[in-house]
Amino acid sequence: MTVLRHRADFLRAARALRRGTDGMLLQARHRDDGDPTIRVGYTCSKKIGNAVARNRAKRRLRAVVAEALLPGAKPGWDYVLIGRPGATIDREFQALKSDLIYALRKIHAQT
């Protein structure tokens, strides 16, 4: 699993599949490049709050991915997790994990 760093990768994921939950928005796309690496990106807008709040939201998203992404993720896919104002920081951690598992299941059911 690697981290998305380039803006173009985030933009391609934004045009692909998406699933919103109470705690986050998940965007996902199949790359079709033959590389089995799972890539993950994180983003939080200024609607979340100041830099401290945005970083806290991203840390929570990283922790959720570390615990819940691999069982539901597929090789060769890019995933972008987007924090939601008021929800990503305040939501219980177990609820965030179940949000991610639900979103992954729904996205892969569409393909």
Side-chain angles (χ1 to χ4, degrees), residues 18-61:
R18 68 184 66 194
R19 174 58 66 172
T21 63
D22 291 338
M24 71 187 75
L25 174 71
L26 177 68
Q27 299 172 337
R29 77 175 189 100
H30 188 258
R31 288 192 311 272
D32 287 328
D33 62 357
D35 183 12
T37 306
I38 296 170
R39 301 189 313 177
V40 182
Y42 311 92
T43 185
C44 293
S45 71
K46 287 190 176 182
K47 291 178 186 178
I48 299 283
N50 61 9
V52 174
R54 291 193 306 271
N55 287 331
R56 182 169 186 217
K58 285 189 269 188
R59 278 195 309 271
R60 287 178 57 90
L61 291 175

Side-chain angles (χ1 to χ4, degrees), residues 13 15-19 26-32 72-79 102-111:
R15 290 190 304 267
L17 302 171
R18 68 184 66 194
R19 174 58 66 172
L26 177 68
Q27 299 172 337
R29 77 175 189 100
H30 188 258
R31 288 192 311 272
D32 287 328
K74 291 188 177 181
W77 281 70
D78 289 347
Y79 301 97
Y102 169 80
L104 283 169
R105 191 173 64 244
K106 288 296 187 176
I107 281 179
H108 291 304
Q110 291 177 354
T111 58

Side-chain angles (χ1 to χ4, degrees), residues 75-100:
W77 281 70
D78 289 347
Y79 301 97
V80 176
L81 282 78
I82 301 172
R84 292 225 167 169
T88 304
I89 293 174
D90 298 330
R91 196 158 168 81
E92 288 185 28
F93 189 73
Q94 286 302 114
L96 277 177
K97 280 177 51 175
S98 62
D99 287 347
L100 179 59

